């Protein structure tokens, strides 16, 4: 099939497509709704893949400030996509390729490259058809033989200027792959007005009108609200927005994000989507018992573990989204409720550290860039080391642990990373020689999955239950090989290295309950029902500490009759 701009749509596309758009307001939870639908379709035995189209001009979020945009997720193949990809992977339990996140920046960039190469044969290059074709091609490329349903989330809100080419592309898409192969879901807000005690449908109507103005009639409307949408209100939305009543879905606030798939299933979302896509008989029973068991565990967890995150972006908790989720996953597995304490690394001066950290059960020193707050993180690493406080260092976290150890134990006064100081006597963290000339900031880090070999008798090998592991990376700096021997001689365990032994991947401290650092980002591989071993173990160590500190409390609880 020919695309309007001269491209070709594959004849053999067998996948079905679900497009999720949002209206009224941003941050309504489109990503979570899309991910939950993904989980439900997977529970129906379908092979699901997900992707996100982002209307901003950045090539990818890799260079974006976490204060503004939240965490940068990392895929196995080294993509630096939007944090929604993390929700997708956690919910549908599939690794997604970097191509699962396309931005306006990437789309224009490839169209411009094609233009310079002369691929357009002298024609005028325009948003329609060339940009829209590029968008459609990217969607189609993801719909290979291994996919039954591709769920595509369109970032931004209908009505935004930047979103127009995406909406136009997905509108054309249905015509080109066939009506029965495409389902449009529109997410809106139904606000509750306290003074009148009413839920209002007007914003939904306006938003649907806006979408229709761009040529798309939604098949399903998901209404976000803090109160359930009554049948009467559903009837009204059904009538005014012209969708069947079973396609008006109430998505009421949930107490845990992992409850959302169950709520949406209760509203029949997956059955309705399957019906629209001609996928199977409506009313088919779906086995969600494993997910239900898991959600029950989430609610039943009663022991508490207080885990501090020593960060710099703590006013933007989304900057550490996958770390927080991984800690929670660790708690779910152990029947413990992880309470996150945000600790502002910048505010530390040595004397304050114990006041801030003493009543915590464990800490995480997460990844980060730039000098702000680094001395506070080094102080936290030191406090944890000296007080047997369980501590997991992630990427920059490992680096500050090495700096602390070098300064305080290996007698390398003033040791630091070359990221934070010049002309250092002890640059224990530094760029590898082959990286020193890098001038481009985007995509030039060590990115994606890399293998590490663990020492067989090490703590990390026991935790993983393996001596060869693969983790995702996103950093420029490494432990400086010049100081490896001295650090080891002073007692630091460099217990995981790259297969060629050039790079230190894991550190630990023999004799400490849990003082473990990894140069990688294990948080990107944790799944709700399959917590990452490092987080599970950190929470286990935290639980032990919590029990030691308040033994009487646990004894009393242990005697409470069932
Ligand atoms: N800034 C450090 C580096 O580039 C750590 C990066 C990170 O924590 N992701 O190596």
């Amino acid at each position: 099939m020919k695309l309007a701009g001269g491209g070709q749509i594959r004849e053999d596309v067998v996948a079905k497509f679900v497009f999720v758009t949002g209206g009224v307001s941003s941050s309504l939870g489109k990503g979570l709704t899309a991910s939950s639908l993904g989980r439900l379709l997977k529970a129906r035995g379908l092979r699901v893949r997900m992707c996100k189209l982002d209307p901003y001009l950045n090539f990818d979020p890799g260079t974006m400030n976490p204060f503004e945009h939240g965490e940068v997720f990392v895929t196995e193949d080294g993509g630096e996509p939007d944090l929604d990809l993390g929700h997708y992977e956690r919910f549908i339990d599939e690794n997604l390729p970097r191509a699962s996140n396309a931005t306006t920046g990437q789309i224009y960039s490839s169209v411009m490259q094609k233009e310079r190469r002369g691929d357009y044969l002298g024609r005028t290059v325009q948003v329609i058809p060339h940009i829209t074709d590029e968008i459609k091609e990217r969607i189609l490329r993801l719909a290979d033989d291994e996919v039954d349903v591709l769920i595509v989330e369109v970032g931004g809100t209908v009505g935004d200027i930047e979103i127009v080419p995406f909406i136009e592309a997905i509108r054309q898409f249905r015509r080109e792959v066939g009506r029965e192969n495409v389902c449009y879901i529109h997410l809106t807000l139904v606000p509750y007005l306290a003074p009148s005690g009413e839920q209002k449908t007007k914003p939904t109507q306006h938003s649907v009108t806006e979408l229709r103005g761009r040529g798309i009639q939604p098949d399903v409307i998901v209404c976000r609200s803090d109160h359930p949408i009554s049948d009467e209100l559903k009837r009204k939305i059904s009538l005014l927005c012209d969708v069947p009543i079973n396609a008006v879905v109430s998505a009421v606030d949930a107490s845990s994000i992992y409850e959302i798939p169950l709520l949406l299933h209760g509203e029949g979302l997956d059955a309705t989507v399957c019906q629209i896509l001609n996928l199977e008989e409506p009313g088919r029973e779906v086995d969600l018992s494993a997910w239900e068991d898991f959600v029950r565990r989430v609610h039943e967890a009663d022991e508490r573990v207080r885990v501090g995150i020593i960060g710099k972006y703590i006013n933007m908790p989304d900057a550490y989204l996958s770390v927080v989720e991984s800690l929670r996953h660790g708690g779910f597995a152990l029947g413990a409720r992880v309470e996150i304490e945000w600790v502002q690394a910048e505010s530390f001066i040595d004397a304050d550290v114990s006041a801030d950290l003493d009543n915590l059960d464990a800490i995480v020193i997460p990844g980060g860039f730039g000098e702000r707050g680094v001395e506070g993180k080094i102080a936290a690493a030191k406090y944890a080391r000296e007080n047997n406080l369980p501590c997991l260092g992630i990427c920059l976290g490992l680096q500050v642990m090495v700096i602390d150890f070098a300064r305080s134990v290996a007698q390398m006064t003033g040791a630091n990373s070359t990221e934070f100081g010049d002309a250092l006597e002890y640059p224990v963290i530094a760029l590898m020689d082959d990286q020193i000339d890098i001038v481009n900031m985007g995509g030039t880090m060590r990115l994606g999955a890399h293998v590490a070999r663990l020492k067989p008798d090490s703590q990390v090998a026991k935790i993983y239950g393996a001596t060869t592991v693969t983790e995702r990376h996103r950093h420029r700096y490494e432990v400086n090989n010049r100081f490896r021997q001295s650090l080891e001689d002073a007692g630091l365990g460099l217990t995981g290295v790259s297969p060629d032994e050039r790079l230190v991947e894991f550190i630990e401290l023999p004799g400490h309950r849990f003082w473990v650092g990894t140069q990688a980002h294990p948080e990107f591989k944790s799944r709700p029902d399959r917590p990452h071993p490092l987080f599970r173990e950190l929470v286990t160590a935290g639980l032990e500490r919590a029990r030691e500190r308040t033994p009487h409390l646990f004894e009393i609880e242990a005697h409470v009759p069932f």
Side-chain angles (χ1 to χ4, degrees):
M1 182 191 305
K2 278 259 180 248
L3 292 179
Q8 194 90 18
I9 280 199
R10 288 196 346 248
E11 294 292 347
D12 56 337
V13 181
V14 285
K16 304 275 184 176
F17 299 84
V18 177
F19 292 102
V20 182
T21 56
V24 184
S25 158
S26 56
S27 308
L28 287 184
K30 252 189 314 192
L32 285 168
T33 305
S35 309
S36 299
L37 176 64
R39 181 81 209 191
L40 294 173
L41 295 180
K42 223 184 139 179
R44 288 176 168 260
L46 295 161
R47 294 167 307 164
V48 179
R49 189 171 283 165
M50 301 190 62
C51 101
K52 173 136 195 233
L53 304 174
D54 270 315
Y56 51 74
L57 282 168
N58 303 61
F59 193 84
D60 59 36
T63 52
M64 287 163 92
N65 185 345
F67 277 119
E68 198 174 311
H69 197 73
E71 159 188 286
V72 178
F73 193 71
V74 180
T75 57
E76 287 286 296
D77 58 357
E80 297 177 274
D82 185 87
L83 52 77
D84 270 322
L85 271 274
H87 284 312
Y88 300 172
E89 286 203 354
R90 286 187 282 272
F91 273 70
I92 65 171
D93 198 6
E94 301 278 346
N95 290 338
L96 294 168
R98 68 191 309 159
S100 302
N101 189 195
T103 68
T104 297
Q106 282 169 26
I107 288 156
Y108 271 77
S109 167
S110 37
V111 168
M112 292 320 294
Q113 272 172 27
K114 287 184 191 164
E115 189 272 339
R116 292 288 83 185
R117 271 204 316 258
D119 291 6
Y120 297 116
L121 306 173
R123 283 195 298 266
T124 310
V125 179
Q126 293 178 298
V127 172
I128 301 170
H130 301 101
I131 296 295
T132 44
D133 276 6
E134 181 71 30
I135 297 170
K136 287 185 284 179
E137 278 165 28
R138 278 169 185 256
I139 296 169
L140 276 169
R141 253 180 262 143
L142 287 166
D144 59 27
D145 311 343
E146 282 163 27
V147 179
D148 296 320
V149 183
L150 180 70
I151 302 177
V152 182
E153 177 189 350
V154 183
T157 307
V158 170
D160 295 346
I161 290 177
E162 302 90 335
I163 210 177
V164 174
F166 292 100
I167 301 290
E168 172 61 12
I170 66 170
R171 182 196 68 75
Q172 293 175 7
F173 201 90
R174 185 179 224 176
R175 163 138 303 284
E176 286 168 342
V177 301
R179 293 198 81 72
E180 68 291 359
N181 296 324
V182 171
C183 171
Y184 297 117
I185 298 182
H186 191 55
L187 190 74
T188 72
L189 177 70
V190 178
Y192 175 76
L193 294 190
S196 57
E198 277 178 306
Q199 286 176 294
K200 291 295 184 188
T201 62
K202 200 64 97 187
T204 300
Q205 292 174 48
H206 280 303
S207 171
V208 169
T209 305
E210 179 84 39
L211 194 58
R212 282 205 199 120
R214 299 268 162 217
I216 293 180
Q217 163 64 39
D219 300 298
V220 177
I221 297 179
V222 177
C223 304
R224 289 284 294 109
S225 63
D226 45 10
H227 291 58
I229 311 282
S230 64
D231 284 347
E232 195 190 329
L233 215 59
K234 281 187 179 177
R235 257 193 300 280
K236 187 171 167 193
I237 295 170
S238 154
L239 189 67
L240 295 170
C241 300
D242 200 18
V243 293
I245 188 143
N246 69 336
V248 181
V249 171
S250 163
V252 71
D253 292 349
S255 56
S256 138
I257 58 171
Y258 298 110
E259 228 175 281
I260 302 173
L262 301 178
L263 282 172
L264 294 178
H265 178 67
E267 286 284 306
L269 176 66
D270 48 318
T272 304
V273 169
C274 286
Q275 193 185 351
I276 291 164
L277 294 174
N278 252 335
L279 274 169
E280 59 188 52
E281 293 298 306
R284 176 179 177 272
E285 276 306 306
V286 193
D287 184 13
L288 286 172
S289 53
W291 194 262
E292 278 161 356
D293 280 351
F294 155 69
V295 171
R296 198 168 308 124
R297 261 184 291 132
V298 172
H299 289 302
E300 282 170 3
D302 51 4
E303 268 188 279
R304 275 159 220 280
V305 194
R306 301 185 66 198
V307 183
I309 297 183
I310 320 294
K312 108 171 154 179
Y313 313 109
I314 63 165
N315 298 325
M316 172 60 162
D318 269 3
Y320 301 112
L321 185 63
S322 294
V323 172
V324 171
E325 289 306 316
S326 305
L327 286 168
R328 298 218 164 106
H329 302 165
F332 301 154
L334 298 164
R337 190 176 292 278
V338 172
E339 286 176 358
I340 307 286
E341 298 288 328
W342 296 100
V343 184
Q344 178 57 267
E346 271 175 89
S347 66
F348 276 171
I349 41 167
D350 262 349
D352 283 339
V353 174
S354 69
D356 278 306
L357 302 188
D358 191 42
N359 57 354
L360 296 176
D361 302 317
I363 61 169
V364 175
I365 309 180
F369 294 82
E371 201 177 353
R372 254 180 68 192
V374 163
E375 286 302 320
K377 291 182 184 177
I378 297 170
K382 179 178 161 80
Y383 179 86
R385 183 174 50 75
E386 290 174 344
N387 293 281
N388 213 17
L389 171 66
C391 169
L392 174 63
I394 297 174
C395 205
L396 178 66
L398 169 140
Q399 298 174 358
V400 300
M401 290 163 90
V402 170
I403 295 169
D404 156 53
F405 190 86
R407 286 182 188 173
S408 311
V409 185
Q411 279 148 21
M412 302 184 201
T413 313
N416 213 335
S417 162
T418 55
E419 185 178 2
F420 316 124
D422 300 322
L424 299 170
E425 192 179 351
Y426 301 107
V428 287
I429 308 292
L431 292 176
M432 298 299 282
D433 293 344
D434 48 3
Q435 276 206 302
I436 283 177
D437 294 330
I438 287 170
V439 281
N440 208 346
M441 290 308 278
T444 53
M445 287 187 266
R446 185 170 167 228
L447 284 165
H450 291 268
V451 172
R453 305 236 186 275
L454 310 181
K455 287 202 177 138
D457 50 354
S458 63
Q459 188 181 5
V460 279
K462 283 194 200 93
I463 292 173
Y464 275 96
T467 51
T468 301
V469 299
T470 309
E471 292 290 359
R472 302 183 192 174
H473 288 248
R474 180 170 183 263
H475 57 103
R476 291 196 174 81
Y477 294 81
E478 308 280 352
V479 174
N480 189 337
N481 289 334
R482 261 172 60 207
F483 300 100
R484 267 162 76 164
Q485 193 59 52
S486 322
L487 291 167
E488 281 189 303
D489 289 348
L492 186 64
L494 307 181
T495 44
V497 292
S498 57
D500 63 4
E501 303 198 352
R502 279 178 75 224
L503 306 170
V504 172
E505 299 280 25
F506 289 87
I507 63 161
E508 65 192 45
L509 193 62
H512 193 288
R513 191 190 324 240
F514 187 103
W515 199 76
V516 174
T518 165
Q519 191 57 78
H521 285 277
E523 71 271 27
F524 297 137
K525 287 180 69 170
S526 186
R527 302 279 162 88
D529 41 358
R530 227 154 19 84
H532 190 287
L534 286 175
F535 285 92
R536 193 199 54 222
E537 212 50 38
L538 177 78
V539 177
T540 306
L543 257 181
E544 270 170 36
R545 184 173 152 101
R547 287 173 186 160
E548 279 163 22
R549 278 155 19 112
T550 45
H552 59 285
L553 220 152
F554 292 99
E555 271 161 31
I556 294 166
E557 284 192 2
H559 287 103
V560 171
F562 287 104

